[in-house]
Amino acid sequence: MSATGHSPLGAVLAITRADLRRLFADRSNLFFLVVLPLLIVFALGMAIGGTTDYRVGVVDDAPSQLSRPVLQRMRELSTVTIVRVGSSGALRDDVARRTLDAGWVAEHEDDTTTFRWYSPNTGDDLELRAVFNAAVEEAGVRERVVGVVADSTGADAGTARAAVEQAAAATPSIEVSTVEVGESGEVVASIRSVLAAGELSLFIFLTSLLGASYLLTTRQLGVTRRMRAAPVPVAAIVGGEALARFTVALLQAAIVYVGSIVLFRVDWGSPPAVVLLCVGMSLVGTGGAMLLGTLGRSQQQVGAIGLLLSLVLGALGGSMQPLEFFPDSLRRVAFLATPHAWMNDAMWRILVDDAGLADVWQAIAVLAGAGTVLLALASWALARTLR
């Protein structure tokens, strides 16, 4: 490519166009740029919302006065379907294969009933297990009361149980009402928005760093040196490479942003603030990609480092789990070590607390500053290799 008669700006745009053509010529890049982010957003969105229906297995061949009310209490739950199972071994296998979500075995020996709860290793049954434990405790208390009544009055167990049931029925009921803050649909939408925001910061950085291999290839093939001999100013070469990386990062942000709106009608709250956060994160990704592409020695090394850094910093910075769930000490580390924490925290305030541009300007400034520093270091390192 000859730069004779062309302005430095023309050379910058020509280099950017050439890099983008190379990017889109490789069909596998379209998967990582378009398909994978939207698939993850779609999967997370589908996983959020609606009620959970549980299939619960029960092994209880000879129900006792203790196990019978427990079974009745669980049957009253609208989200639970009770499935009779023949043996504890079969129940264990069904829970392990996830054909059943959980279950219990009631074992009777003399006047003692023992319950064993079978739980999946995912922990999805925590709420269900809490209801079951409460039902067992309630049934146990009632049986102890029956025993006290029988002992103190000399009545048989049947008469004592009938008296306790009669007394329980005559006791004034206690009603507990639940006041939900916000409609359930709004809560689901907020969760989806926060998850989409995490994917936004994760993929801007991930796509940028994975693109570092193109800069490395350009250097290894001597393309940049031939451009320098054209002659093309060093500043134009550096600017063209930076603009290409920055364009790809912004394109990735636009795909996740628009895709989440189309798929799940995600409300991004304050679009100007979100756009500026994306610009700041794209600057960080651009600087990191150029630095990695300049200092890297092989495509395997650059790809491995880029993927590892993206996933580790994304996880630490709250892209995979909201920072609000982190302990304070880990949150402090996240803000010190990752740009993701600044973007994700600002996105949480925008999406959950209805913050605007004036409330998240500090995060935007930090991202822009970090991106500028990285970009300056990367530009200096790349310029040195061209002289």
Side-chain angles (χ1 to χ4, degrees), residues 12 15-16 19 22 214-215 218 224 227 236-246 286 290 382:
V12 168
I15 294 170
T16 300
D19 279 358
R22 288 175 56 207
Y214 287 93
L215 177 57
T218 299
T224 51
M227 286 190 291
I237 298 174
V238 173
E241 295 292 346
L243 183 58
R245 307 280 87 72
F246 185 68
T286 298
M290 288 189 62
L382 179 58

Side-chain angles (χ1 to χ4, degrees), residues 177-300:
S177 61
T178 301
V179 178
E180 294 185 356
V181 180
E183 298 180 1
S184 60
E186 295 176 351
V187 174
V188 170
S190 296
I191 296 174
R192 285 175 172 168
S193 298
V194 170
L195 292 176
E199 296 307 306
L200 189 61
S201 61
L202 173 66
F203 275 98
I204 289 175
F205 195 76
L206 175 62
T207 301
S208 298
L209 260 60
L210 291 182
S213 61
Y214 287 93
L215 177 57
L216 175 64
T217 303
T218 299
R219 288 176 44 238
Q220 289 179 333
L221 295 177
V223 176
T224 51
R225 289 193 174 277
R226 288 197 295 272
M227 286 190 291
R228 182 74 181 93
V232 176
V234 171
I237 298 174
V238 173
E241 295 292 346
L243 183 58
R245 307 280 87 72
F246 185 68
T247 301
V248 171
L250 284 182
L251 179 59
Q252 180 68 90
I255 290 170
V256 176
Y257 184 95
V258 175
S260 59
I261 294 175
V262 172
L263 290 174
F264 296 106
R265 302 185 182 276
V266 169
D267 182 4
W268 287 100
S270 174
V274 175
V275 169
L276 289 177
L277 285 168
C278 289
V279 170
M281 194 67 179
S282 296
L283 278 174
V284 174
T286 298
M290 288 189 62
L291 195 59
L292 183 59
T294 301
L295 301 179
R297 300 300 181 185
S298 67
Q299 286 200 33
Q300 293 79 5

Side-chain angles (χ1 to χ4, degrees), residues 106-385:
E107 298 176 338
H108 311 287
E109 184 175 353
D110 299 329
D111 294 330
T112 302
T113 298
T114 303
F115 293 96
R116 283 187 289 123
W117 181 264
Y118 286 78
S119 174
N121 57 12
T122 58
D124 296 338
D125 63 327
L126 292 178
E127 294 182 3
L128 190 63
R129 194 189 316 172
V131 175
F132 174 79
N133 290 337
V136 171
E137 183 63 25
E138 178 185 347
V141 169
R142 181 162 296 193
E143 283 303 299
R144 286 194 290 272
V145 171
V146 169
V148 170
V149 171
D151 291 341
S152 61
T153 62
D156 59 81
T159 302
R161 184 169 289 106
V164 171
E165 295 294 339
Q166 184 178 2
T171 301
S173 60
I174 300 174
E175 295 184 1
V176 178
S177 61
T178 301
V179 178
E180 294 185 356
V181 180
E183 298 180 1
S184 60
E186 295 176 351
V187 174
V188 170
S190 296
I191 296 174
R192 285 175 172 168
S193 298
V194 170
L195 292 176
E199 296 307 306
L200 189 61
S201 61
L202 173 66
F203 275 98
I204 289 175
F205 195 76
L206 175 62
T207 301
S208 298
L209 260 60
L210 291 182
S213 61
Y214 287 93
L215 177 57
L216 175 64
T217 303
T218 299
R219 288 176 44 238
Q220 289 179 333
L221 295 177
V223 176
T224 51
R225 289 193 174 277
R226 288 197 295 272
M227 286 190 291
R228 182 74 181 93
V232 176
V234 171
I237 298 174
V238 173
E241 295 292 346
L243 183 58
R245 307 280 87 72
F246 185 68
T247 301
V248 171
L250 284 182
L251 179 59
Q252 180 68 90
I255 290 170
V256 176
Y257 184 95
V258 175
S260 59
I261 294 175
V262 172
L263 290 174
F264 296 106
R265 302 185 182 276
V266 169
D267 182 4
W268 287 100
S270 174
V274 175
V275 169
L276 289 177
L277 285 168
C278 289
V279 170
M281 194 67 179
S282 296
L283 278 174
V284 174
T286 298
M290 288 189 62
L291 195 59
L292 183 59
T294 301
L295 301 179
R297 300 300 181 185
S298 67
Q299 286 200 33
Q300 293 79 5
Q301 181 194 55
V302 168
I305 292 176
L307 182 60
L308 182 63
L309 272 178
S310 299
L311 295 181
V312 171
L313 294 181
L316 181 59
S319 293
M320 301 175 188
Q321 178 177 320
L323 287 168
E324 296 298 317
F325 302 154
F326 285 25
D328 291 340
S329 57
L330 189 57
R331 278 175 58 88
R332 286 193 292 269
V333 172
F335 279 103
L336 288 173
T338 75
H340 303 68
W342 290 93
M343 180 170 180
N344 290 326
D345 179 69
M347 291 299 299
W348 177 278
R349 285 188 281 159
I350 291 171
L351 298 171
V352 178
D353 301 331
D354 293 325
L357 181 58
D359 302 304
V360 298
W361 66 267
Q362 185 178 11
I364 296 172
V366 169
L367 290 173
T372 301
V373 171
L374 279 174
L375 194 54
L377 287 174
S379 299
W380 172 78
L382 179 58
R384 284 194 62 187
T385 67

